[in-house]
Amino acid sequence: METPRPSVAYTAATVLKQAADRSARLAHWRRWQGRVVLALGAIALAVAILVFSSLVDAGTERFITLRVAMPWLPLLLTPAGGVLVVYLTRRFFPGAAGSGIPQTIAALKPQRDDSARRGLVSLRLAIGKIGLGSLALLCGFASGKEGPSVQIGASIMQACNRFLPERLHIRGEQLLLAGGAAGIAVAFNTPLAGIVFAIEELGRRFDRRSNVILLTTIIVACAVSIGWRGNSSYFGRLAITATGHQLLLPILVTGLAGGVFGGLFSRVMVHASHPHRSLLGRLRSAHPLWFAGACGLGVALLGVFSDGLAFGGGYHVTRAALEGGHVMPATYPLYKSVATLLSYFSGIPGGIFAPSLAIGAGLGQDLQTLAPAYGTPGEWVALGMAGFLAGVTQVPVTTFVIVMEMIDGHSMVLSLIATALLAHLVSRIFSHSLYHSLARQYPNTPHQG
């Protein structure tokens, strides 16, 4: 008896089912390929930022050693170093100057084309940011590593885009967002702050896929960071002794002061950074190297007059103030503010997060002398940090999460929230959003070179 032959319909259905199975297996494999690429990108991002942090710390320590041995050296090293760093930045790494957060925000604009985006985030710029940012700290400039870490992280994740399967439909903006958020998380060792920063400042719009990419990148990057330097708080653990009602006055005072001085600081930075609207901006555009040298000389003079307190990012001074073991002079916030502004105006690659925290710490310590019976010096310093940073950046939620995680001050959550929100509201009287205002200075023009 002859075996019946399958019908044409049955054969077609079988072929379609086999094709569907193969397509499903292929899609599953592609998804895993995408996950591996994202994980490797997050690992590379974390290692790059941790290396950058190590170089910055080593450069800062070396500068301190040289300054102690030769107190006159900054008067030569800082101006000459500023000229060299700005020359190298403008010649080989245009787009690496400044904080890095405005560049990342500008690159996230959906209307920006790929060519213009490469002038703001790329592996070349990440390398320049690491090398020249570290060199600037070695020369004594008052800048930080946290803002640059955002641009470094965004650049590395953007480079991963070419290795992702097209079927995953992952957009470049999603990778930029995840990389920038992971950058701030690794730099401060504050994973929650990275997530909040992405929501509050970088993205301001989310979908389910963006959330998955963001969380994956931050979790993997922070796991690498913890394995590298341990699960420790950035500034250690702050001992909290004051009760809620005792902190009402410190909250009110630091919130108002942080909002006023932070808002004015932000306004000066935005106005003077514009290449055409201010005298400083026009001078920097016309004579960038001479201007960088003059800014470096100004930082050096401030450092000499302040016995070295105006130099660097201010980490050691801030930590000592939080622990109550060091009393800064009353003029410290002024010295540090001017040195930070000069460092930023010079055109070197460097951020303002760490110096702003140091300025806020000095402000909190000064304000504590007005009402010593309310709260401890460490609590005033922590609230001053939150108030001034929120006043400058106008990202209050990110600010209180950063400060809370850095000092392991979970018992001060409500106090930090209230201070940051009050400072944010007051700051808006004097200035618009700092980073978004600076981001508008990067037009959507194709990258040359």
Side-chain angles (χ1 to χ4, degrees), residues 33-67:
Q33 179 187 354
R35 291 168 184 157
V36 170
V37 170
L38 290 176
L40 291 176
I43 292 171
L45 175 159
V47 171
I49 293 174
L50 290 168
V51 169
F52 178 44
S53 298
S54 299
L55 290 174
V56 165
D57 294 341
T60 302
E61 294 293 339
R62 183 60 178 166
F63 177 80
I64 293 173
T65 302
L66 292 173
R67 188 190 66 83

PDB file of all heavy atoms in Angstrom, residues 33-67:
ATOM      1  N   GLN A  33      23.036  38.509  22.323  1.00  0.00           N
ATOM      2  CA  GLN A  33      24.173  39.262  21.812  1.00  0.00           C
ATOM      3  C   GLN A  33      24.100  40.716  22.270  1.00  0.00           C
ATOM      4  O   GLN A  33      25.106  41.293  22.691  1.00  0.00           O
ATOM      5  CB  GLN A  33      24.209  39.192  20.285  1.00  0.00           C
ATOM      6  CG  GLN A  33      25.375  39.976  19.679  1.00  0.00           C
ATOM      7  CD  GLN A  33      25.308  40.030  18.160  1.00  0.00           C
ATOM      8  OE1 GLN A  33      24.452  39.393  17.552  1.00  0.00           O
ATOM      9  NE2 GLN A  33      26.197  40.794  17.545  1.00  0.00           N
ATOM     10  N   GLY A  34      22.896  41.291  22.193  1.00  0.00           N
ATOM     11  CA  GLY A  34      22.719  42.660  22.657  1.00  0.00           C
ATOM     12  C   GLY A  34      23.003  42.810  24.131  1.00  0.00           C
ATOM     13  O   GLY A  34      23.642  43.784  24.564  1.00  0.00           O
ATOM     14  N   ARG A  35      22.577  41.842  24.941  1.00  0.00           N
ATOM     15  CA  ARG A  35      22.834  41.910  26.386  1.00  0.00           C
ATOM     16  C   ARG A  35      24.322  41.841  26.690  1.00  0.00           C
ATOM     17  O   ARG A  35      24.821  42.548  27.576  1.00  0.00           O
ATOM     18  CB  ARG A  35      22.096  40.772  27.089  1.00  0.00           C
ATOM     19  CG  ARG A  35      20.579  40.926  27.086  1.00  0.00           C
ATOM     20  CD  ARG A  35      19.904  39.654  27.515  1.00  0.00           C
ATOM     21  NE  ARG A  35      18.448  39.765  27.418  1.00  0.00           N
ATOM     22  CZ  ARG A  35      17.632  38.741  27.296  1.00  0.00           C
ATOM     23  NH1 ARG A  35      18.123  37.502  27.247  1.00  0.00           N
ATOM     24  NH2 ARG A  35      16.324  38.924  27.214  1.00  0.00           N
ATOM     25  N   VAL A  36      25.017  40.977  25.957  1.00  0.00           N
ATOM     26  CA  VAL A  36      26.462  40.854  26.170  1.00  0.00           C
ATOM     27  C   VAL A  36      27.167  42.159  25.799  1.00  0.00           C
ATOM     28  O   VAL A  36      28.058  42.624  26.522  1.00  0.00           O
ATOM     29  CB  VAL A  36      27.022  39.676  25.347  1.00  0.00           C
ATOM     30  CG1 VAL A  36      28.549  39.682  25.369  1.00  0.00           C
ATOM     31  CG2 VAL A  36      26.504  38.353  25.894  1.00  0.00           C
ATOM     32  N   VAL A  37      26.768  42.769  24.689  1.00  0.00           N
ATOM     33  CA  VAL A  37      27.378  44.032  24.271  1.00  0.00           C
ATOM     34  C   VAL A  37      27.134  45.119  25.321  1.00  0.00           C
ATOM     35  O   VAL A  37      28.052  45.866  25.687  1.00  0.00           O
ATOM     36  CB  VAL A  37      26.829  44.470  22.898  1.00  0.00           C
ATOM     37  CG1 VAL A  37      27.266  45.899  22.568  1.00  0.00           C
ATOM     38  CG2 VAL A  37      27.309  43.525  21.809  1.00  0.00           C
ATOM     39  N   LEU A  38      25.900  45.215  25.826  1.00  0.00           N
ATOM     40  CA  LEU A  38      25.596  46.216  26.848  1.00  0.00           C
ATOM     41  C   LEU A  38      26.398  45.973  28.117  1.00  0.00           C
ATOM     42  O   LEU A  38      26.909  46.920  28.736  1.00  0.00           O
ATOM     43  CB  LEU A  38      24.102  46.200  27.159  1.00  0.00           C
ATOM     44  CG  LEU A  38      23.164  46.737  26.067  1.00  0.00           C
ATOM     45  CD1 LEU A  38      21.713  46.554  26.482  1.00  0.00           C
ATOM     46  CD2 LEU A  38      23.444  48.198  25.791  1.00  0.00           C
ATOM     47  N   ALA A  39      26.522  44.701  28.513  1.00  0.00           N
ATOM     48  CA  ALA A  39      27.279  44.386  29.723  1.00  0.00           C
ATOM     49  C   ALA A  39      28.752  44.724  29.557  1.00  0.00           C
ATOM     50  O   ALA A  39      29.375  45.310  30.457  1.00  0.00           O
ATOM     51  CB  ALA A  39      27.108  42.911  30.075  1.00  0.00           C
ATOM     52  N   LEU A  40      29.319  44.382  28.404  1.00  0.00           N
ATOM     53  CA  LEU A  40      30.726  44.698  28.157  1.00  0.00           C
ATOM     54  C   LEU A  40      30.943  46.210  28.096  1.00  0.00           C
ATOM     55  O   LEU A  40      31.965  46.723  28.577  1.00  0.00           O
ATOM     56  CB  LEU A  40      31.188  44.041  26.859  1.00  0.00           C
ATOM     57  CG  LEU A  40      31.290  42.512  26.875  1.00  0.00           C
ATOM     58  CD1 LEU A  40      31.666  41.994  25.490  1.00  0.00           C
ATOM     59  CD2 LEU A  40      32.298  42.040  27.917  1.00  0.00           C
ATOM     60  N   GLY A  41      29.979  46.917  27.505  1.00  0.00           N
ATOM     61  CA  GLY A  41      30.083  48.374  27.478  1.00  0.00           C
ATOM     62  C   GLY A  41      30.059  48.968  28.875  1.00  0.00           C
ATOM     63  O   GLY A  41      30.825  49.896  29.185  1.00  0.00           O
ATOM     64  N   ALA A  42      29.184  48.442  29.732  1.00  0.00           N
ATOM     65  CA  ALA A  42      29.107  48.938  31.111  1.00  0.00           C
ATOM     66  C   ALA A  42      30.390  48.642  31.877  1.00  0.00           C
ATOM     67  O   ALA A  42      30.863  49.465  32.672  1.00  0.00           O
ATOM     68  CB  ALA A  42      27.911  48.299  31.818  1.00  0.00           C
ATOM     69  N   ILE A  43      30.975  47.470  31.632  1.00  0.00           N
ATOM     70  CA  ILE A  43      32.239  47.133  32.287  1.00  0.00           C
ATOM     71  C   ILE A  43      33.349  48.068  31.815  1.00  0.00           C
ATOM     72  O   ILE A  43      34.127  48.600  32.628  1.00  0.00           O
ATOM     73  CB  ILE A  43      32.608  45.659  31.999  1.00  0.00           C
ATOM     74  CG1 ILE A  43      31.614  44.725  32.687  1.00  0.00           C
ATOM     75  CG2 ILE A  43      34.029  45.360  32.471  1.00  0.00           C
ATOM     76  CD1 ILE A  43      31.769  43.264  32.286  1.00  0.00           C
ATOM     77  N   ALA A  44      33.427  48.289  30.507  1.00  0.00           N
ATOM     78  CA  ALA A  44      34.443  49.207  29.966  1.00  0.00           C
ATOM     79  C   ALA A  44      34.253  50.609  30.518  1.00  0.00           C
ATOM     80  O   ALA A  44      35.229  51.309  30.849  1.00  0.00           O
ATOM     81  CB  ALA A  44      34.375  49.212  28.441  1.00  0.00           C
ATOM     82  N   LEU A  45      33.010  51.036  30.601  1.00  0.00           N
ATOM     83  CA  LEU A  45      32.680  52.359  31.151  1.00  0.00           C
ATOM     84  C   LEU A  45      33.181  52.483  32.589  1.00  0.00           C
ATOM     85  O   LEU A  45      33.845  53.472  32.954  1.00  0.00           O
ATOM     86  CB  LEU A  45      31.169  52.537  31.085  1.00  0.00           C
ATOM     87  CG  LEU A  45      30.455  53.750  31.677  1.00  0.00           C
ATOM     88  CD1 LEU A  45      29.091  53.885  31.008  1.00  0.00           C
ATOM     89  CD2 LEU A  45      30.236  53.610  33.188  1.00  0.00           C
ATOM     90  N   ALA A  46      32.874  51.482  33.411  1.00  0.00           N
ATOM     91  CA  ALA A  46      33.275  51.525  34.822  1.00  0.00           C
ATOM     92  C   ALA A  46      34.793  51.542  34.959  1.00  0.00           C
ATOM     93  O   ALA A  46      35.350  52.323  35.747  1.00  0.00           O
ATOM     94  CB  ALA A  46      32.677  50.338  35.565  1.00  0.00           C
ATOM     95  N   VAL A  47      35.476  50.701  34.190  1.00  0.00           N
ATOM     96  CA  VAL A  47      36.939  50.646  34.279  1.00  0.00           C
ATOM     97  C   VAL A  47      37.543  51.986  33.860  1.00  0.00           C
ATOM     98  O   VAL A  47      38.472  52.496  34.507  1.00  0.00           O
ATOM     99  CB  VAL A  47      37.478  49.500  33.406  1.00  0.00           C
ATOM    100  CG1 VAL A  47      39.001  49.571  33.303  1.00  0.00           C
ATOM    101  CG2 VAL A  47      37.055  48.153  33.987  1.00  0.00           C
ATOM    102  N   ALA A  48      37.027  52.573  32.781  1.00  0.00           N
ATOM    103  CA  ALA A  48      37.557  53.857  32.306  1.00  0.00           C
ATOM    104  C   ALA A  48      37.398  54.941  33.368  1.00  0.00           C
ATOM    105  O   ALA A  48      38.330  55.725  33.621  1.00  0.00           O
ATOM    106  CB  ALA A  48      36.853  54.268  31.019  1.00  0.00           C
ATOM    107  N   ILE A  49      36.236  55.015  34.000  1.00  0.00           N
ATOM    108  CA  ILE A  49      35.998  56.051  35.005  1.00  0.00           C
ATOM    109  C   ILE A  49      36.813  55.786  36.267  1.00  0.00           C
ATOM    110  O   ILE A  49      37.318  56.727  36.909  1.00  0.00           O
ATOM    111  CB  ILE A  49      34.493  56.145  35.308  1.00  0.00           C
ATOM    112  CG1 ILE A  49      33.753  56.669  34.065  1.00  0.00           C
ATOM    113  CG2 ILE A  49      34.223  57.056  36.501  1.00  0.00           C
ATOM    114  CD1 ILE A  49      32.256  56.670  34.195  1.00  0.00           C
ATOM    115  N   LEU A  50      36.964  54.527  36.629  1.00  0.00           N
ATOM    116  CA  LEU A  50      37.777  54.209  37.809  1.00  0.00           C
ATOM    117  C   LEU A  50      39.244  54.533  37.560  1.00  0.00           C
ATOM    118  O   LEU A  50      39.943  55.021  38.459  1.00  0.00           O
ATOM    119  CB  LEU A  50      37.601  52.735  38.168  1.00  0.00           C
ATOM    120  CG  LEU A  50      36.218  52.370  38.735  1.00  0.00           C
ATOM    121  CD1 LEU A  50      36.031  50.864  38.774  1.00  0.00           C
ATOM    122  CD2 LEU A  50      36.036  52.963  40.127  1.00  0.00           C
ATOM    123  N   VAL A  51      39.722  54.269  36.356  1.00  0.00           N
ATOM    124  CA  VAL A  51      41.094  54.665  36.008  1.00  0.00           C
ATOM    125  C   VAL A  51      41.225  56.184  36.040  1.00  0.00           C
ATOM    126  O   VAL A  51      42.211  56.738  36.559  1.00  0.00           O
ATOM    127  CB  VAL A  51      41.472  54.111  34.620  1.00  0.00           C
ATOM    128  CG1 VAL A  51      42.775  54.736  34.123  1.00  0.00           C
ATOM    129  CG2 VAL A  51      41.601  52.594  34.672  1.00  0.00           C
ATOM    130  N   PHE A  52      40.232  56.878  35.490  1.00  0.00           N
ATOM    131  CA  PHE A  52      40.223  58.334  35.515  1.00  0.00           C
ATOM    132  C   PHE A  52      40.255  58.855  36.949  1.00  0.00           C
ATOM    133  O   PHE A  52      41.030  59.767  37.282  1.00  0.00           O
ATOM    134  CB  PHE A  52      38.969  58.830  34.792  1.00  0.00           C
ATOM    135  CG  PHE A  52      38.791  60.324  34.770  1.00  0.00           C
ATOM    136  CD1 PHE A  52      39.852  61.167  34.502  1.00  0.00           C
ATOM    137  CD2 PHE A  52      37.542  60.885  35.003  1.00  0.00           C
ATOM    138  CE1 PHE A  52      39.687  62.544  34.470  1.00  0.00           C
ATOM    139  CE2 PHE A  52      37.356  62.257  34.973  1.00  0.00           C
ATOM    140  CZ  PHE A  52      38.437  63.087  34.709  1.00  0.00           C
ATOM    141  N   SER A  53      39.440  58.262  37.822  1.00  0.00           N
ATOM    142  CA  SER A  53      39.423  58.669  39.233  1.00  0.00           C
ATOM    143  C   SER A  53      40.779  58.447  39.882  1.00  0.00           C
ATOM    144  O   SER A  53      41.263  59.293  40.656  1.00  0.00           O
ATOM    145  CB  SER A  53      38.342  57.891  39.988  1.00  0.00           C
ATOM    146  OG  SER A  53      37.062  58.163  39.471  1.00  0.00           O
ATOM    147  N   SER A  54      41.410  57.320  39.575  1.00  0.00           N
ATOM    148  CA  SER A  54      42.731  57.044  40.145  1.00  0.00           C
ATOM    149  C   SER A  54      43.765  58.053  39.661  1.00  0.00           C
ATOM    150  O   SER A  54      44.606  58.522  40.444  1.00  0.00           O
ATOM    151  CB  SER A  54      43.163  55.620  39.772  1.00  0.00           C
ATOM    152  OG  SER A  54      42.263  54.657  40.284  1.00  0.00           O
ATOM    153  N   LEU A  55      43.704  58.396  38.383  1.00  0.00           N
ATOM    154  CA  LEU A  55      44.640  59.388  37.841  1.00  0.00           C
ATOM    155  C   LEU A  55      44.413  60.761  38.468  1.00  0.00           C
ATOM    156  O   LEU A  55      45.369  61.477  38.781  1.00  0.00           O
ATOM    157  CB  LEU A  55      44.484  59.472  36.327  1.00  0.00           C
ATOM    158  CG  LEU A  55      44.966  58.260  35.516  1.00  0.00           C
ATOM    159  CD1 LEU A  55      44.613  58.422  34.049  1.00  0.00           C
ATOM    160  CD2 LEU A  55      46.471  58.063  35.678  1.00  0.00           C
ATOM    161  N   VAL A  56      43.136  61.131  38.637  1.00  0.00           N
ATOM    162  CA  VAL A  56      42.815  62.417  39.261  1.00  0.00           C
ATOM    163  C   VAL A  56      43.333  62.456  40.695  1.00  0.00           C
ATOM    164  O   VAL A  56      43.952  63.446  41.129  1.00  0.00           O
ATOM    165  CB  VAL A  56      41.295  62.660  39.214  1.00  0.00           C
ATOM    166  CG1 VAL A  56      40.903  63.785  40.172  1.00  0.00           C
ATOM    167  CG2 VAL A  56      40.860  63.001  37.801  1.00  0.00           C
ATOM    168  N   ASP A  57      43.094  61.391  41.456  1.00  0.00           N
ATOM    169  CA  ASP A  57      43.552  61.347  42.846  1.00  0.00           C
ATOM    170  C   ASP A  57      45.079  61.403  42.915  1.00  0.00           C
ATOM    171  O   ASP A  57      45.647  62.115  43.759  1.00  0.00           O
ATOM    172  CB  ASP A  57      43.041  60.078  43.530  1.00  0.00           C
ATOM    173  CG  ASP A  57      41.527  60.063  43.672  1.00  0.00           C
ATOM    174  OD1 ASP A  57      40.920  61.149  43.589  1.00  0.00           O
ATOM    175  OD2 ASP A  57      40.953  58.977  43.856  1.00  0.00           O
ATOM    176  N   ALA A  58      45.742  60.656  42.028  1.00  0.00           N
ATOM    177  CA  ALA A  58      47.207  60.653  42.023  1.00  0.00           C
ATOM    178  C   ALA A  58      47.750  62.026  41.634  1.00  0.00           C
ATOM    179  O   ALA A  58      48.721  62.516  42.224  1.00  0.00           O
ATOM    180  CB  ALA A  58      47.718  59.581  41.056  1.00  0.00           C
ATOM    181  N   GLY A  59      47.112  62.661  40.629  1.00  0.00           N
ATOM    182  CA  GLY A  59      47.547  63.989  40.221  1.00  0.00           C
ATOM    183  C   GLY A  59      47.363  65.019  41.317  1.00  0.00           C
ATOM    184  O   GLY A  59      48.235  65.874  41.532  1.00  0.00           O
ATOM    185  N   THR A  60      46.223  64.942  42.015  1.00  0.00           N
ATOM    186  CA  THR A  60      45.967  65.881  43.112  1.00  0.00           C
ATOM    187  C   THR A  60      46.985  65.706  44.231  1.00  0.00           C
ATOM    188  O   THR A  60      47.521  66.693  44.767  1.00  0.00           O
ATOM    189  CB  THR A  60      44.550  65.668  43.656  1.00  0.00           C
ATOM    190  OG1 THR A  60      43.608  65.857  42.594  1.00  0.00           O
ATOM    191  CG2 THR A  60      44.246  66.646  44.774  1.00  0.00           C
ATOM    192  N   GLU A  61      47.272  64.451  44.602  1.00  0.00           N
ATOM    193  CA  GLU A  61      48.240  64.187  45.671  1.00  0.00           C
ATOM    194  C   GLU A  61      49.634  64.657  45.263  1.00  0.00           C
ATOM    195  O   GLU A  61      50.373  65.217  46.073  1.00  0.00           O
ATOM    196  CB  GLU A  61      48.263  62.696  45.988  1.00  0.00           C
ATOM    197  CG  GLU A  61      46.979  62.157  46.593  1.00  0.00           C
ATOM    198  CD  GLU A  61      46.710  62.709  47.984  1.00  0.00           C
ATOM    199  OE1 GLU A  61      47.675  63.178  48.633  1.00  0.00           O
ATOM    200  OE2 GLU A  61      45.542  62.670  48.425  1.00  0.00           O
ATOM    201  N   ARG A  62      49.976  64.438  44.001  1.00  0.00           N
ATOM    202  CA  ARG A  62      51.292  64.862  43.540  1.00  0.00           C
ATOM    203  C   ARG A  62      51.421  66.382  43.558  1.00  0.00           C
ATOM    204  O   ARG A  62      52.476  66.920  43.937  1.00  0.00           O
ATOM    205  CB  ARG A  62      51.523  64.343  42.108  1.00  0.00           C
ATOM    206  CG  ARG A  62      52.888  64.668  41.533  1.00  0.00           C
ATOM    207  CD  ARG A  62      53.991  64.070  42.381  1.00  0.00           C
ATOM    208  NE  ARG A  62      55.309  64.326  41.806  1.00  0.00           N
ATOM    209  CZ  ARG A  62      56.439  64.159  42.466  1.00  0.00           C
ATOM    210  NH1 ARG A  62      56.421  63.724  43.728  1.00  0.00           N
ATOM    211  NH2 ARG A  62      57.592  64.411  41.877  1.00  0.00           N
ATOM    212  N   PHE A  63      50.362  67.077  43.173  1.00  0.00           N
ATOM    213  CA  PHE A  63      50.404  68.538  43.204  1.00  0.00           C
ATOM    214  C   PHE A  63      50.573  69.038  44.636  1.00  0.00           C
ATOM    215  O   PHE A  63      51.333  69.986  44.884  1.00  0.00           O
ATOM    216  CB  PHE A  63      49.128  69.113  42.602  1.00  0.00           C
ATOM    217  CG  PHE A  63      49.051  70.604  42.666  1.00  0.00           C
ATOM    218  CD1 PHE A  63      49.721  71.391  41.741  1.00  0.00           C
ATOM    219  CD2 PHE A  63      48.327  71.238  43.680  1.00  0.00           C
ATOM    220  CE1 PHE A  63      49.676  72.779  41.814  1.00  0.00           C
ATOM    221  CE2 PHE A  63      48.282  72.620  43.759  1.00  0.00           C
ATOM    222  CZ  PHE A  63      48.957  73.393  42.822  1.00  0.00           C
ATOM    223  N   ILE A  64      49.859  68.435  45.576  1.00  0.00           N
ATOM    224  CA  ILE A  64      49.990  68.836  46.979  1.00  0.00           C
ATOM    225  C   ILE A  64      51.425  68.650  47.454  1.00  0.00           C
ATOM    226  O   ILE A  64      52.003  69.516  48.128  1.00  0.00           O
ATOM    227  CB  ILE A  64      49.009  68.035  47.850  1.00  0.00           C
ATOM    228  CG1 ILE A  64      47.573  68.422  47.521  1.00  0.00           C
ATOM    229  CG2 ILE A  64      49.287  68.270  49.335  1.00  0.00           C
ATOM    230  CD1 ILE A  64      46.527  67.561  48.217  1.00  0.00           C
ATOM    231  N   THR A  65      52.029  67.519  47.102  1.00  0.00           N
ATOM    232  CA  THR A  65      53.413  67.246  47.504  1.00  0.00           C
ATOM    233  C   THR A  65      54.371  68.290  46.918  1.00  0.00           C
ATOM    234  O   THR A  65      55.251  68.813  47.618  1.00  0.00           O
ATOM    235  CB  THR A  65      53.823  65.843  47.039  1.00  0.00           C
ATOM    236  OG1 THR A  65      52.935  64.880  47.593  1.00  0.00           O
ATOM    237  CG2 THR A  65      55.245  65.529  47.473  1.00  0.00           C
ATOM    238  N   LEU A  66      54.185  68.607  45.634  1.00  0.00           N
ATOM    239  CA  LEU A  66      55.053  69.600  44.993  1.00  0.00           C
ATOM    240  C   LEU A  66      54.849  70.989  45.598  1.00  0.00           C
ATOM    241  O   LEU A  66      55.814  71.738  45.785  1.00  0.00           O
ATOM    242  CB  LEU A  66      54.764  69.643  43.494  1.00  0.00           C
ATOM    243  CG  LEU A  66      55.166  68.404  42.689  1.00  0.00           C
ATOM    244  CD1 LEU A  66      54.665  68.525  41.257  1.00  0.00           C
ATOM    245  CD2 LEU A  66      56.679  68.211  42.711  1.00  0.00           C
ATOM    246  N   ARG A  67      53.609  71.332  45.903  1.00  0.00           N
ATOM    247  CA  ARG A  67      53.331  72.663  46.457  1.00  0.00           C
ATOM    248  C   ARG A  67      53.941  72.826  47.837  1.00  0.00           C
ATOM    249  O   ARG A  67      54.452  73.898  48.179  1.00  0.00           O
ATOM    250  CB  ARG A  67      51.826  72.894  46.526  1.00  0.00           C
ATOM    251  CG  ARG A  67      51.437  74.316  46.908  1.00  0.00           C
ATOM    252  CD  ARG A  67      49.956  74.433  47.202  1.00  0.00           C
ATOM    253  NE  ARG A  67      49.584  73.684  48.381  1.00  0.00           N
ATOM    254  CZ  ARG A  67      49.717  74.140  49.626  1.00  0.00           C
ATOM    255  NH1 ARG A  67      50.248  75.339  49.846  1.00  0.00           N
ATOM    256  NH2 ARG A  67      49.352  73.407  50.651  1.00  0.00           N
TER     257      ARG A  67
END
